[in-house]
Amino acid sequence: MEFSSRERQKLWRLAGDRRDQYPHSLQFYLEPPTESISLVEFESFAVDRLKLLKVVENLGVSYVRGTDVYKTKLAGELRKLKFPYRALAEDDYEARRKDHISHFILRLAYCQSEDLRRWFLQQEMDLFRYRFNELTGGLMQKFLEHVNLSFEAIGEDLKNELANELSASTPGFSLPKVKEQMFYKVGLADAVDLFRARRVYIKDGFAYVPFKEIDVIVLNNYRTKLSKALALTARSLPSIQSDERLQPLLNHLSHSYVGPDYSVQKNTGKISLDQIDALSVKSFPLCMRQLHRALRDSHHLRHGGRMQYGLFLKGIGLTLEQALEFWKKEFIRGKVDADKFDKGYAYSIRHSYGKEGKRTDYTPYSCMKIIMSNPPSQGDYHGVKCTNTVIVRCPFRHSDPELLKQKLQSYKISPSGITQVLELVKGMHYQLACQKYFELTHDVDDIGFSLNHPNQYFTESQKLLSGGRELKKEFNNSGSFQQKNNSQESINSSSTPTSSNAKTDTELEELEAYFTED
Amino acid sequence: PCTARPSRVPAVVKNYFQLREFSFTLRDDVYLRFQSFSSPQELERELQKINPYKIDIGAVYSHRPNQHNTVHLGAFQPQEKELVFDIDMTDYDDVRTCCSSADICSKCWTLMTIAIRIIDRALVEDLGVRHRLWVYSGRRGVHCWVCDDAVRKWSPALRAAAVEYLSLVKGGADTVKKVTLSHPVHPFIRRSVDVVEKYFEEYALLGQDILGSPEKWDKVLALIPEDILPSRSCSKKDSVQRWELLRARVERSRPGGRAAAQGPCYADWEVMLQFCFPRLDINVSKGLGHLLKSPFSVHPKTGGWGVWGVWGSPAPTPAPVHSPNPPDYKKTSLAPYVKVFEQFVEGMECARRGEKIRQSDLQGDF
């Protein structure tokens, strides 16, 4: 294609403009994006960043930050999700643009409460710290200049004058080391921790900080800015929430589960009722195992438990007819008469299969939803048998740790395994605790996936037990936000079923055979 | 130097005075917080009317403090306040023998002098402070008010950090050794030791006689590491000589006299600091909402005036009796103190005017 020189110049300028817009692989997110963006992109960017931040969170728990394995895994994830993953000096425009926009979208969702803000801030800081430390010295300098962090490096003359003081003030800095490293003059407010601990030279209201401590300072700066920005965003939220296109999305982002929703099942009817007892021991996550046990023991579950367990069963493939039979049998044993069942409970079950009322096909609850629901109320089951009503949410979240320990002991989990689980519970890493439970009950070292959904647990377990486990998990995500009580079309209307939980007929046959051998 | 220009330029943020919190303590310990006034004259009238025992000064808030109940919850916030320090003699009870609790005498008052010199040096040289006022608290200690513009806006975290920077004595009643130094010694510590040196012999060895008896000698030895410890039975006659002995032993051990892992011994400095280094109350300094007794108020229990300590001198004598026609203060013993205060304020106004003029010049306003 031939361009006139004027056109060529224009193209250069455009390309230059693009480069100018995102001159670095990371940023402080000071300016919100001003371009227009499609709703599809809005949603997919947000979902991808949320996935990224959850990975950041998990990696931070499983590995020591800054170690090679941590860095490698995080880099891999960044690459996979198409975020900037290398401190490139050159054009990485699309990734940087995505980074920019997705950050601001998530701010909208995560500014809404103290807890959400804290979580978002923590993950964003960890992400920033990783990316900042990946910068080379030269790029770091340029970046600091770019964000106007007015840290002047002190000149050689001044440094020589102060050399003894600097060496006496800065731990680990002998005189020779002082001579070779850069020192920066930083305002006291920017170097609070070093100032407080007297680990730097302080003179005339400034701290003299060596290059290697600069990342702490930059991070503090970032944290302060982001914290303020989140508070500000929260104040302007009402006007954003009034936008009908965004409101459902934003509401869901902070509670969202970003994986397959298990609403469309290809394996319906492949599980028979008499397999459930065995399956509950082998392949159910702890919450469902306990709910099943509770149902068998008390012949009843309260509404919340019925929803949680019932939808899960739907997700693993129980048909409506099977479900009705299953629940009816159990409830009748609990002295609910058949008539009452048909009039009341049956309606509710049909409702949850989308055959009544609004005809919305309810989706099985994700871990996030279960963990974050209200804690069980009076009369609910905490691992102690109550005479009539039983309900369990997430046992790692809602059970008393002592009772949880006893339960795990009764399931013959090893003491060291139990300790590991309880440690994770103590650190409030409930899904990781469940992952550990998976590893212990399936006798594997590494669960191999990131657990977000009870049905995912089941699917993976089945896969593992049938020997058909793939090495690499690829979830095909529609990324759509299925809303429970919303008859509106969901934003991304392609509700494609996921490939991962679709089972081939042969696999299921093998599975049935496996279980009937017991 | 102050230029003689008319002060057309406003001195402070609009409404500054109206947003300042005062609190009054009345007879019978009735306590009134969140008082605020439209003008200094109104404050004066109120003072004369209700005659409080004690006046405290708080922060400058986002709204008038006396209307804080009408403000939406969370919107009423302190905006700025002077950075203040409170040094209280009772915090030194474990290291002074002449007095205890609220008593002070000319012997232990030296501790205040040392504290003021150490902290003031650090404020000026290390923290870059220019405007600070030291005030006798009226009873048993001193307050420092730091009024620099930038410092008034410091966050609680930064204020707390400043206190920690200025702290060396750690531990409560059950801690024997309260100061431990490691190598290399930060310049702040070294310069503080230099100050203590100037007073140590007269205050600690002669005045407090900290090595004057076996019991006292033991207390000090408890702070020295075992390998440097001299024998308990000492032929020296008095504190001064004993200290010389101890000092010499420690200094001798410093260059390479101990295993590399232990590092040089600074036990002599540690002793000096434990007996003399200032002890600050972090809670007074940290919060923007914290109220501190106003300079010039009479302490309810001692009748002593809160005026700045004249270096080295003991507490001023009790105040003149309050009368309906108070004498012109210029004719009372308060006069010199008021003059110092006026000079302090003048200094700040000058600096502020100079800054505003500089700024308006930059903008081309004439």
Side-chain angles (χ1 to χ4, degrees):
Chain A
M1 222 171 153
E2 286 287 299
F3 292 113
S4 73
S5 75
R6 251 185 58 204
E7 281 168 343
R8 235 191 320 239
Q9 275 175 26
K10 190 167 157 208
L11 276 175
W12 261 117
R13 223 193 356 255
L14 279 179
D17 283 345
R18 267 168 54 126
R19 260 200 298 280
D20 284 343
Q21 211 184 349
Y22 299 118
H24 297 273
S25 62
L26 78 170
Q27 57 167 294
F28 265 16
Y29 310 104
L30 298 174
E31 294 297 325
T34 50
E35 52 177 288
S36 303
I37 171 179
S38 70
L39 280 177
V40 171
E41 213 175 25
F42 187 96
E43 182 185 318
S44 80
F45 277 8
V47 166
D48 280 353
R49 194 181 193 88
L50 187 54
K51 282 192 196 148
L52 174 65
L53 293 186
K54 291 201 193 221
V55 165
V56 168
E57 181 184 32
N58 283 345
L59 287 179
V61 172
S62 313
Y63 306 100
V64 175
R65 291 185 192 89
T67 51
D68 284 338
V69 56
Y70 175 89
K71 292 198 287 195
T72 315
K73 285 194 185 246
L74 186 46
E77 197 65 27
L78 285 163
R79 180 129 147 242
K80 196 170 85 182
L81 292 168
K82 301 201 172 31
F83 285 108
Y85 69 95
R86 267 199 307 232
L88 300 170
E90 64 266 22
D91 198 359
D92 191 16
Y93 177 77
E94 289 305 331
R96 293 175 190 182
R97 172 178 172 266
K98 180 171 176 173
D99 179 50
H100 181 210
I101 295 174
S102 62
H103 171 92
F104 274 91
I105 299 173
L106 284 196
R107 269 199 206 178
L108 295 175
Y110 279 83
C111 66
Q112 298 178 55
S113 78
E114 188 58 47
D115 281 343
L116 290 175
R117 283 197 289 268
R118 199 179 306 133
W119 183 87
F120 181 68
L121 197 61
Q122 180 63 53
Q123 313 320 322
E124 285 284 343
M125 278 192 47
D126 281 349
L127 178 61
F128 186 91
R129 183 191 291 114
Y130 162 77
R131 291 159 80 186
F132 185 76
N133 284 320
E134 290 292 293
L135 294 173
T136 63
L139 285 177
M140 206 179 270
Q141 269 289 100
K142 286 214 183 79
F143 174 68
L144 289 179
E145 279 163 24
H146 177 73
V147 292
N148 285 326
L149 278 182
S150 50
F151 301 154
E152 332 163 7
I154 63 177
E156 277 311 297
D157 292 338
L158 181 57
K159 196 158 73 140
N160 285 331
E161 214 183 289
L162 298 177
N164 286 319
E165 316 285 51
L166 293 174
S167 174
S169 318
T170 323
F173 274 76
S174 60
L175 265 178
K177 192 147 178 212
V178 166
K179 299 231 152 81
E180 69 178 40
Q181 270 225 358
M182 295 272 260
F183 273 77
Y184 293 81
K185 196 170 152 183
V186 177
L188 289 179
D190 285 322
V192 179
D193 292 320
L194 294 170
F195 168 45
R196 174 211 324 277
R198 230 183 283 119
R199 290 171 61 85
V200 284
Y201 185 53
I202 306 283
K203 180 167 132 81
D204 272 332
F206 287 95
Y208 289 79
V209 181
F211 178 71
K212 86 178 200 6
E213 300 275 8
I214 279 290
D215 68 340
V216 173
I217 295 188
V218 174
L219 257 168
N220 281 341
N221 206 281
Y222 179 60
R223 184 209 282 123
T224 308
K225 287 184 159 79
L226 186 51
S227 186
K228 278 203 186 105
L230 283 173
L232 225 79
T233 310
R235 284 207 271 279
S236 45
L237 203 55
S239 59
I240 302 160
Q241 282 187 324
S242 64
D243 186 321
E244 288 169 353
R245 299 163 300 170
L246 300 183
Q247 188 235 17
L249 238 143
L250 294 175
N251 278 344
H252 272 260
L253 267 175
S254 48
H255 294 286
S256 84
Y257 157 68
V258 290
D261 55 22
Y262 300 97
S263 59
V264 179
Q265 301 303 308
K266 274 204 172 152
N267 57 337
T268 16
K270 300 294 183 179
I271 305 237
S272 74
L273 291 183
D274 47 20
Q275 291 175 291
I276 292 184
D277 283 329
L279 283 176
S280 77
V281 171
K282 292 192 160 58
S283 288
F284 282 13
L286 190 61
C287 54
M288 302 305 175
R289 181 175 179 175
Q290 288 194 265
L291 279 169
H292 179 74
R293 182 79 264 131
L295 178 63
R296 286 287 193 232
D297 288 344
S298 322
H299 314 298
H300 190 266
L301 282 183
R302 276 166 79 158
H303 174 78
R306 290 202 304 274
M307 289 304 283
Q308 182 178 343
Y309 188 37
L311 289 172
F312 169 77
L313 289 175
K314 183 174 83 153
I316 69 173
L318 240 60
T319 63
L320 175 58
E321 291 67 36
Q322 286 176 304
L324 286 167
E325 189 189 329
F326 174 74
W327 290 98
K328 187 166 181 178
K329 261 200 196 140
E330 209 52 59
F331 271 50
I332 284 178
R333 283 208 200 103
K335 313 288 192 277
V336 169
D337 66 60
D339 211 37
K340 181 171 180 198
F341 181 86
D342 288 333
K343 289 203 171 88
Y345 297 108
Y347 177 89
S348 162
I349 294 167
R350 279 200 301 279
H351 194 272
S352 68
Y353 273 75
K355 304 289 189 239
E356 297 282 359
K358 286 203 199 94
R359 315 231 166 218
T360 315
D361 203 8
Y362 288 86
T363 52
Y365 296 176
S366 64
C367 290
M368 176 75 84
K369 188 178 166 87
I370 294 171
I371 287 169
M372 293 189 37
S373 330
N374 295 324
S377 53
Q378 273 283 17
D380 288 341
Y381 181 74
H382 291 272
V384 175
K385 243 190 215 164
C386 301
T387 43
N388 49 350
T389 54
V390 285
I391 189 172
V392 158
R393 306 263 190 215
C394 173
F396 299 106
R397 158 84 175 88
H398 297 113
S399 287
D400 177 78
E402 230 358 86
L403 294 172
L404 178 61
K405 180 173 168 184
Q406 285 170 28
K407 185 106 277 176
L408 294 173
Q409 281 166 345
S410 75
Y411 293 158
K412 308 274 192 294
I413 312 277
S414 71
S416 66
I418 296 182
T419 307
Q420 288 176 60
V421 169
L422 292 178
E423 264 313 300
L424 288 167
V425 166
K426 196 160 117 183
M428 290 168 53
H429 307 291
Y430 309 117
Q431 282 150 278
L432 292 180
C434 194
Q435 282 179 204
K436 180 57 65 182
Y437 170 78
F438 182 104
E439 286 165 8
L440 294 163
T441 51
H442 293 72
D443 199 24
V444 289
D445 282 332
D446 184 356
I447 191 175
F449 64 95
S450 200
L451 177 64
N452 285 313
H453 200 295
N455 287 89
Q456 175 197 23
Y457 185 110
F458 178 80
T459 306
E460 289 294 328
S461 168
Q462 291 288 282
K463 200 162 251 151
L464 184 62
L465 292 172
S466 67
R469 168 138 143 171
E470 292 146 22
L471 278 173
K472 199 166 157 60
K473 207 71 247 117
E474 288 286 343
F475 278 113
N476 177 14
N477 298 309
S478 65
S480 60
F481 295 96
Q482 291 287 338
Q483 299 179 62
K484 213 172 141 218
N485 296 306
N486 196 346
S487 50
Q488 283 176 357
E489 238 181 341
S490 59
I491 311 267
N492 181 349
S493 53
S494 62
S495 51
T496 45
T498 61
S499 58
S500 57
N501 65 346
K503 289 196 176 311
T504 61
D505 287 346
T506 39
E507 269 184 55
L508 274 174
E509 272 163 9
E510 284 169 34
L511 191 64
E512 286 191 45
Y514 178 88
F515 279 109
T516 49
E517 273 164 33
D518 272 338
Chain B
C2 202
T3 53
R5 289 200 213 188
S7 45
R8 275 174 289 128
V9 192
V12 291
V13 160
K14 214 156 79 84
N15 286 343
Y16 201 80
F17 185 78
Q18 292 87 329
L19 299 172
R20 169 79 71 176
E21 179 192 1
F22 294 87
S23 87
F24 298 147
T25 308
L26 308 180
R27 200 194 328 266
D28 295 334
D29 279 339
V30 171
Y31 187 59
L32 302 172
R33 257 201 88 169
F34 295 115
Q35 306 298 299
S36 63
F37 306 93
S38 308
S39 66
Q41 293 78 6
E42 194 189 314
L43 167 63
E44 192 183 330
R45 280 198 298 275
E46 191 72 8
L47 284 177
Q48 285 177 342
K49 193 170 87 178
I50 70 174
N51 195 13
Y53 265 16
K54 185 157 90 95
I55 306 164
D56 288 319
I57 298 179
V60 172
Y61 281 81
S62 52
H63 304 77
R64 293 187 184 216
N66 64 2
Q67 293 171 0
H68 74 284
N69 284 322
T70 66
V71 179
H72 177 70
L73 191 70
F76 178 70
Q77 295 290 339
Q79 303 295 101
E80 51 179 271
K81 191 175 83 69
E82 293 72 13
L83 171 62
V84 293
F85 297 101
D86 179 358
I87 306 177
D88 190 326
M89 203 59 105
T90 48
D91 291 335
Y92 294 80
D93 281 356
D94 58 314
V95 290
R96 54 176 181 150
T97 51
C98 51
C99 309
S100 70
S101 86
D103 302 324
I104 49 179
C105 68
S106 54
K107 275 200 273 184
C108 52
W109 183 254
T110 311
L111 284 172
M112 289 295 118
T113 307
I114 296 173
I116 293 171
R117 287 214 188 271
I118 287 179
I119 297 199
D120 202 69
R121 181 215 69 77
L123 288 176
V124 172
E125 290 176 14
D126 298 359
L127 305 196
V129 161
R130 282 178 61 204
H131 304 288
R132 73 268 175 230
L133 181 69
W134 286 94
V135 185
Y136 169 60
S137 71
R139 189 173 176 192
R140 58 188 192 218
V142 291
H143 296 159
C144 178
W145 294 77
V146 177
C147 307
D148 291 37
D149 265 350
V151 179
R152 285 211 305 269
K153 299 185 171 81
W154 278 13
S155 68
L158 192 45
R159 290 166 201 249
V163 172
E164 290 190 51
Y165 177 80
L166 298 169
S167 297
L168 279 177
V169 180
K170 309 260 162 83
D174 45 358
T175 313
V176 170
K177 187 162 174 64
K178 297 191 161 100
V179 181
T180 310
L181 304 178
S182 56
H183 183 82
V185 174
H186 194 279
F188 165 77
I189 301 176
R190 220 188 49 239
R191 286 166 194 164
S192 304
V193 170
D194 290 342
V195 173
V196 174
E197 293 263 32
K198 297 192 178 75
Y199 295 86
F200 191 71
E201 180 169 309
E202 192 194 312
Y203 163 73
L205 301 175
L206 297 173
Q208 296 290 321
D209 198 25
I210 61 171
L211 299 172
S213 68
E215 297 79 33
K216 290 184 173 176
W217 178 235
D218 277 343
K219 263 192 165 158
V220 175
L221 289 192
L223 309 177
I224 316 281
E226 280 195 19
D227 51 328
I228 317 274
L229 220 44
S231 65
R232 273 192 77 247
S233 65
C234 187
S235 59
K236 302 295 176 187
K237 287 202 313 270
D238 58 31
S239 279
V240 177
Q241 289 187 0
R242 286 177 191 144
W243 177 249
E244 272 321 301
L245 173 72
L246 195 52
R247 191 80 190 266
R249 273 183 85 91
V250 175
E251 278 177 353
R252 260 201 309 273
S253 82
R254 263 210 272 277
R258 294 168 101 201
Q262 283 178 307
C265 176
Y266 290 103
D268 52 339
W269 291 5
E270 289 163 351
V271 169
M272 287 166 66
L273 293 170
Q274 181 150 341
F275 277 86
C276 302
F277 189 86
R279 298 160 183 221
L280 299 172
D281 181 350
I282 193 170
N283 293 310
V284 170
S285 311
K286 196 166 62 173
L288 265 93
H290 191 95
L291 293 142
L292 195 65
K293 193 141 98 285
S294 164
F296 278 120
S297 49
V298 177
H299 195 288
K301 297 200 174 107
T302 66
W305 281 95
V307 292
W308 32 93
V310 179
W311 300 95
S313 78
T317 48
V321 171
H322 175 80
S323 70
N325 297 310
D328 182 357
Y329 71 85
K330 290 201 185 64
K331 301 199 181 108
T332 68
S333 59
L334 277 180
Y337 299 103
V338 178
K339 188 152 172 31
V340 173
F341 187 66
E342 280 175 342
Q343 282 171 348
F344 170 75
V345 174
E346 174 73 19
M348 282 187 61
E349 277 186 352
C350 216
R352 182 186 297 283
R353 236 180 275 137
E355 181 59 24
K356 290 283 182 194
I357 288 168
R358 191 182 72 86
Q359 282 181 6
S360 75
D361 279 352
L362 282 173
Q363 289 167 5
D365 299 338
F366 290 100

